[in-house]
Amino acid sequence: MHKICTDIVIEAPINEVWDLLTDFESFDKWNPFITRIKGELEPGSRLDVYMQPPGMKGVNFNPVITKVEPVHEYRWTGNLWVKGIFDGEHVFRIEELENNRTRFIQCERFRGILAPLILSLIGEKTRQGFESMNNNLKKECEKE
């Protein structure tokens, strides 16, 4: 199994971070990495997602929400072509810190026959996309 994980501390209360992170309609205004999500944030729901890592062509995919724990975490799973070729589980988790601060953690675990090969090609750009999203989430939440 291969994974990419990033995190950032945001100077905002956990509820504000959660509200922005789950307001899919606003993603195109602040998120340079995942610019579109359509669908319901409910387990079993299939989403329509458009993601564009820096310097790469964007990709549209349809993951399924597997977990929603309000104000703390949601995750989805998706695959390329057929399950077992290149599968991913994406986790968006937030943790409450002292003094109205929040840690945002974004991880993706990759599995499948082609995971090592595909990650050798897109892994660094994907990490950059995560970090760009994290930084923009922080900036948006910390606006006064």
Side-chain angles (χ1 to χ4, degrees):
M1 180 173 46
H2 305 275
K3 70 179 179 176
I4 298 172
C5 287
T6 59
D7 70 287
I8 195 165
V9 173
I10 300 171
E11 302 291 331
I14 193 169
N15 288 346
E16 290 179 18
V17 177
W18 177 260
D19 289 347
L20 186 59
L21 191 60
T22 58
D23 180 8
F24 297 156
E25 290 184 17
S26 76
F27 270 42
D28 65 335
K29 295 176 183 76
W30 66 267
N31 192 337
F33 178 54
I34 301 174
T35 59
R36 185 186 73 234
I37 298 180
K38 292 183 180 176
E40 299 298 318
L41 187 61
E42 298 175 1
S45 176
R46 186 168 295 276
L47 301 176
D48 177 22
V49 177
Y50 185 78
M51 181 182 296
Q52 185 167 8
M56 294 181 63
K57 185 177 178 182
V59 62
N60 196 60
F61 64 103
N62 301 105
V64 174
I65 295 284
T66 57
K67 179 179 181 180
V68 178
E69 187 180 330
V71 193
H72 295 288
E73 176 180 311
Y74 67 92
R75 54 179 72 203
W76 68 49
T77 58
N79 55 59
L80 182 63
W81 303 307
V82 178
K83 190 171 180 169
I85 302 293
F86 184 64
D87 307 330
E89 178 185 43
H90 201 108
V91 178
F92 302 92
R93 185 170 52 243
I94 57 178
E95 299 172 349
E96 189 169 22
L97 303 175
E98 294 179 345
N99 302 319
N100 282 327
R101 296 166 53 227
T102 303
R103 180 182 318 281
F104 172 61
I105 302 159
Q106 183 174 192
C107 286
E108 182 132 11
R109 290 177 179 83
F110 300 95
R111 294 183 176 92
I113 296 167
L114 294 181
L117 174 63
I118 292 174
L119 281 174
S120 71
L121 300 172
I122 68 165
E124 186 52 37
K125 293 289 186 185
T126 300
R127 174 181 299 284
Q128 290 171 12
F130 284 20
E131 290 171 352
S132 177
M133 177 178 169
N134 296 359
N135 290 328
N136 279 275
L137 178 66
K138 175 181 175 73
K139 189 166 123 180
E140 192 70 17
C141 286
E142 292 178 355
K143 279 184 179 177
E144 291 187 329

